[in-house]
């Protein structure tokens, strides 16, 4: 038995050496495609835009609004869509573990049995009547055995599969980062929209007071015969029209509050904390750091996700190409068998006489597949080319989004100063119109036109102030900032981990960041010793 075991161990050692040192990998190695880029943004000359300054990672803090800061951080902790993205990272890591597991013997089984057989006296092997030979018609037999089947990774099929799973996991991690960026942008934009609506509501209420005063003046002048009833009806019509806008604005405010609650993982009937205390529309800082296009390409998670998706697909070409070549497999089993036939005893099971072993190298080659394999290679190659082009398009789209946001921010910033002066002039015009109307120097149409212009200028100012903030948010979103805050944080919150651990043993899979582990083979579940 010792000789048999030594021979089996030698064959296994030689097989391992063949796998580790004698195998190749078919298929192409991934290379990042060339992309069209440039060294500086088109709007780099605008005052306040600093290309030499890096992008602020926690960019929402530049508005100096504690409520906004708290809303963004709460959403990172509680948003349900973000949790789903985090679970996809954990799922990707488990998929990588499966791929790494296939690199080793794919089938490993242990078996044991204790059998009783009653032999038929009419089976072909039973002695014929009158024969001097005899056989027992009842047999007890027991066995214990272990077997393994191993398709050697001679052409690198399984190692390419590991590369693909590893890149797919990294793509899911980049998708998680992109979800963080999008979530911060959604919360900030919804918050700005809420503050704009609140400012519009305050403007509407102030104009209702002004228009109510105008109606009172028109009514007084009508009673004393200084004007016609038309002035009263005009003043009443304009007042009622302004009052009619208030319910719509209040409805929009409620919708924005509902949206914020859901973004924070709460039910819509719960108002997020801090919304009742408003400092108005958050103002942007005097200077904003935008870096250079090359920095943006390294920072944006969706660009990284597109690259990793192409990398994963590139490895699948090697997996498909390996099927064009013969596969080499090893099959082996060792065990013990004993029976009670004749002088044999069941107790002989674990003795040298009961030992059995089998070792069988095998080769197979799917020769006649009628083009299925080569066409599968072509399918994978076409998918890779599509993903490479998608990566290039993602880069171009990212560049355009930054330029659009910069242009929008610069344009809106230039409008604010002029609109603020226009609103101030419109307010002065209304005051003068009231004075002149009260003194009988003009008709009510002049007052009405002045009031309409005041309402328009005030609403335009508030809308543009909101547009400045929203365009800055879109700029930071386009630059890809914000995801850095998750570094050092788990992809799945502690309470979710606890629920999952009640169902399944997860080991260290949810505790360690796979992005920080450089060796793909060490990013799988089976590498770690159990911690239970």
């Amino acid at each position: 038995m010792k000789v048999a075991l030594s021979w089996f161990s030698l064959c296994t050692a030689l097989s391992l050496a063949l796998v580790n040192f004698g195998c190749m990998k078919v298929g192409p190695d991934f290379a990042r495609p060339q992309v069209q880029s440039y060294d500086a943004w088109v709007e780099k000359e605008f005052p306040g835009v600093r290309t030499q300054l890096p992008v602020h990672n926690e960019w929402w803090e530049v508005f100096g609004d504690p409520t906004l800061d708290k809303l963004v951080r709460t959403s990172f902790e509680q948003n349900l869509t973000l949790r789903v993205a985090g679970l996809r990272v954990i799922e990707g890591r488990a998929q990588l573990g499966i791929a790494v597991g296939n690199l080793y013997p794919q089938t490993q089984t242990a078996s044991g049995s204790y059998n009783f057989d009653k032999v038929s006296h009419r089976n072909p092997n039973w002695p014929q009547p009158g024969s001097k030979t005899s056989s027992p018609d009842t047999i007890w037999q027991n066995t214990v055995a272990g077997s393994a089947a191993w398709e050697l990774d001679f052409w690198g099929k399984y190692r390419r599969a590991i590369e693909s799973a590893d890149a797919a996991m990294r793509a899911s991690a980049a998708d998680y980062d992109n979800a963080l960026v999008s979530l911060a942008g959604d919360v900030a934009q919804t918050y700005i929209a809420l503050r704009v609506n609140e400012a519009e509501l305050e403007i509407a209420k102030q104009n209702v007071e002004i228009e109510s005063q105008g109606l009172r003046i028109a009514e007084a002048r009508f009673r004393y015969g200084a004007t016609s009833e038309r002035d009263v009806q005009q003043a009443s019509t304009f007042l009622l029209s302004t009052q009619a806008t208030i319910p719509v604005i209040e409805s929009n405010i409620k919708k924005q509050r509902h949206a914020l609650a859901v973004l924070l993982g709460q039910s819509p009937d719960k108002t997020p904390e801090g919304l009742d205390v408003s400092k108005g529309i958050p103002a942007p800082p005097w200077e904003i750091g935008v870096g250079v296009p090359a920095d943006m390409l390294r920072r944006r998670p969706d660009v990284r996700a597109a690259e990793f998706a192409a990398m994963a697909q590139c490895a699948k070409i090697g997996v498909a190409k390996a099927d064009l070549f013969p596969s080499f497999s090893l099959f082996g089993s060792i065990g013990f068998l004993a029976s009670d036939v004749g002088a044999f005893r069941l107790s002989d099971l674990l003795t040298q006489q009961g030992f059995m072993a089998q070792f069988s190298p095998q080769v197979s080659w799917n020769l006649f597949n009628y083009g299925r394999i080569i066409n599968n290679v072509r399918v994978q190659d076409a998918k890779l080319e599509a993903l490479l082009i998608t990566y290039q398009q993602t880069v171009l789209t990212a560049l355009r989004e930054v330029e659009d946001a910069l242009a929008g921010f610069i344009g809106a910033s230039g409008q604010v100063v002029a609109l603020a002066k226009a609103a101030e002039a419109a307010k002065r015009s209304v005051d003068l119109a009231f004075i002149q109307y009260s003194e009988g120097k003009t008709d009510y149409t002049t007052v009405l036109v002045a009031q309409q212009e005041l309402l328009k200028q005030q609403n335009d100012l508030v809308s543009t102030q909101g547009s400045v903030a929203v365009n800055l948010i879109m700029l930071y979103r386009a630059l890809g900032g914000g995801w850095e805050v998750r570094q050092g944080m788990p992809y799945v919150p502690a309470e979710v981990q606890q629920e999952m651990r009640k169902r399944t043993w997860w080991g260290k899979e949810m505790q360690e960041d796979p992005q920080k582990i450089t060796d793909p083979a060490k990013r799988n579940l089976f590498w770690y010793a159990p911690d239970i």
Side-chain angles (χ1 to χ4, degrees), residues 145-417:
S147 63
W150 189 2
E151 180 184 347
L152 302 179
D153 193 27
F154 194 85
W155 308 108
K157 176 172 70 174
Y158 294 118
R159 281 169 291 160
R160 290 296 191 191
I162 292 173
E163 291 178 11
S164 179
D166 182 58
M169 184 207 66
R170 288 177 173 270
S172 64
D175 287 336
Y176 176 85
D177 293 342
N178 195 45
L180 272 173
V181 174
S182 297
L183 177 59
D186 289 343
V187 170
Q189 286 182 247
T190 306
Y191 179 76
I192 296 297
L194 172 65
R195 294 311 188 202
V196 169
N197 286 331
E198 289 174 343
E200 290 174 342
L201 179 61
E202 184 63 26
I203 290 172
K205 289 180 177 180
Q206 291 175 359
N207 278 273
V208 164
E209 294 180 4
I210 294 173
E211 292 157 15
S212 297
Q213 180 185 356
L215 177 60
R216 288 192 295 269
I217 294 173
E219 288 175 337
R221 286 176 56 80
F222 174 67
R223 284 196 301 270
Y224 290 107
T227 188
S228 66
E229 185 183 357
R230 190 187 71 169
D231 288 359
V232 176
Q233 295 303 326
Q234 283 183 320
S236 178
T237 300
F238 194 58
L239 172 61
L240 292 172
S241 177
T242 304
Q243 288 176 332
T245 64
I246 292 178
V248 177
I249 299 174
E250 289 176 337
S251 175
N252 290 335
I253 289 174
K254 291 177 182 178
K255 291 178 182 178
Q256 301 300 340
R257 287 174 176 260
H258 297 163
L260 281 173
V262 173
L263 286 171
L264 269 59
Q266 302 172 0
S267 59
D269 62 326
K270 295 182 179 179
T271 301
E273 186 178 349
L275 290 185
D276 294 330
V277 180
S278 175
K279 295 182 179 179
I281 303 172
W286 290 105
E287 289 186 339
I288 56 173
V290 296
V292 295
D295 293 337
M296 183 275 296
L297 296 181
R298 287 189 292 266
R299 188 186 307 108
R300 273 192 60 139
D302 60 335
V303 173
R304 288 188 282 114
E307 179 182 348
F308 285 131
M311 187 183 299
Q313 183 58 39
C314 181
K316 289 182 180 179
I317 296 177
V319 175
K321 277 190 174 182
D323 291 335
L324 290 168
F325 304 96
S327 63
F328 302 94
S329 302
L330 299 176
F331 175 82
S333 65
I334 58 173
F336 297 87
L337 182 150
S339 70
D340 65 346
V341 175
F344 302 154
R345 298 290 182 269
L346 293 176
S347 58
D348 294 336
L349 179 67
L350 300 179
T351 64
Q352 183 175 359
Q353 290 77 15
F355 175 76
M356 60 180 181
Q358 180 184 8
F359 179 73
S360 174
Q362 298 177 357
V363 60
S364 63
W365 195 351
N366 193 352
L367 293 176
F368 302 105
N369 54 79
Y370 305 99
R372 290 190 297 268
I373 296 177
I374 189 61
N375 279 300
N376 183 42
V377 175
R378 293 165 180 162
V379 168
Q380 304 306 324
D381 187 57
K383 288 182 177 180
L384 171 61
E385 189 61 30
L387 288 173
L388 293 175
I389 295 173
T390 299
Y391 170 79
Q392 294 172 323
Q393 181 61 42
T394 302
V395 171
L396 293 179
T397 301
L399 293 169
R400 179 188 61 80
E401 289 176 354
V402 175
E403 296 289 6
D404 286 352
L406 263 175
F409 173 73
I410 292 170
S413 298
Q415 277 186 292
V416 167
V417 176

Side-chain angles (χ1 to χ4, degrees), residues 203 207 211 238 419 422-427 429-430 445-461:
I203 290 172
N207 278 273
E211 292 157 15
F238 194 58
L419 286 174
E424 184 178 348
K427 179 65 171 64
S429 176
V430 169
T445 301
T446 302
V447 177
L448 186 62
V449 171
Q451 289 177 330
Q452 290 174 332
E453 189 62 25
L454 173 62
L455 182 59
K456 177 182 181 302
Q457 293 300 329
Q458 288 178 326
N459 281 328
D460 286 350
L461 174 60

Side-chain angles (χ1 to χ4, degrees), residues 34 39 144 147 184 245 329 376 387 502 509-510 518:
Q34 297 294 322
D39 297 329
V144 291
S147 63
T245 64
S329 302
N376 183 42
L387 288 173
K502 290 179 181 178
E509 292 302 285
M510 291 186 288
T518 56

Side-chain angles (χ1 to χ4, degrees), residues 120-164:
S120 170
H121 289 200
R122 292 297 180 265
N123 77 71
N125 297 322
W126 188 259
Q128 295 294 316
S131 173
K132 296 181 180 181
T133 61
S134 63
S135 298
D137 61 355
T138 59
I139 300 173
W140 286 91
Q141 180 176 287
N142 55 5
T143 60
V144 291
S147 63
W150 189 2
E151 180 184 347
L152 302 179
D153 193 27
F154 194 85
W155 308 108
K157 176 172 70 174
Y158 294 118
R159 281 169 291 160
R160 290 296 191 191
I162 292 173
E163 291 178 11
S164 179

